[in-house]
Amino acid sequence: MVIGKVVSRVISTRKYDTLQGYKLLVIEPFNGENKEWFVAADTIGAGEGELVLVSFGSAVQHALPQCAPIDAMVVGIVDQEPII
């Protein structure tokens, strides 16, 4: 898992059927040297500027009600910035 900051939303008027209902967010990793942004699906209501906990890979499928082409998912909103 990674902690990241929500930078913006991805607006998509057309998408794969099983992606309906997911908000797509652009995330910037919070720490580490890799600051490459990525897209994560969200169903818990994270917003711009919030720190979130993101899960990756096959573990994401366990959080979905049905299979979907998602490899990164917001699984939590971080209440307090971690001290590093």
Side-chain angles (χ1 to χ4, degrees):
M1 285 190 264
V2 168
I3 294 175
K5 184 175 185 177
V6 179
V7 177
S8 68
R9 291 182 62 178
V10 175
I11 306 299
S12 175
T13 55
R14 299 199 33 109
K15 53 188 164 187
Y16 195 71
D17 286 344
T18 56
L19 291 177
Q20 298 298 327
Y22 293 100
K23 183 167 55 170
L24 301 176
L25 302 174
V26 178
I27 309 290
E28 177 183 20
F30 176 72
N31 59 352
E33 292 183 20
N34 182 8
K35 294 293 185 180
E36 187 174 323
W37 295 1
F38 59 90
V39 175
D42 173 51
T43 59
I44 61 175
E48 277 189 48
E50 289 190 293
L51 285 178
V52 293
L53 187 60
V54 181
S55 186
F56 291 95
S58 60
V60 169
Q61 295 302 313
H62 296 286
L64 304 176
Q66 64 179 350
C67 273
I70 296 172
D71 63 356
M73 178 134 187
V74 174
V75 294
I77 297 174
V78 178
D79 295 327
Q80 184 175 347
E81 188 173 305
I83 299 170
I84 299 175

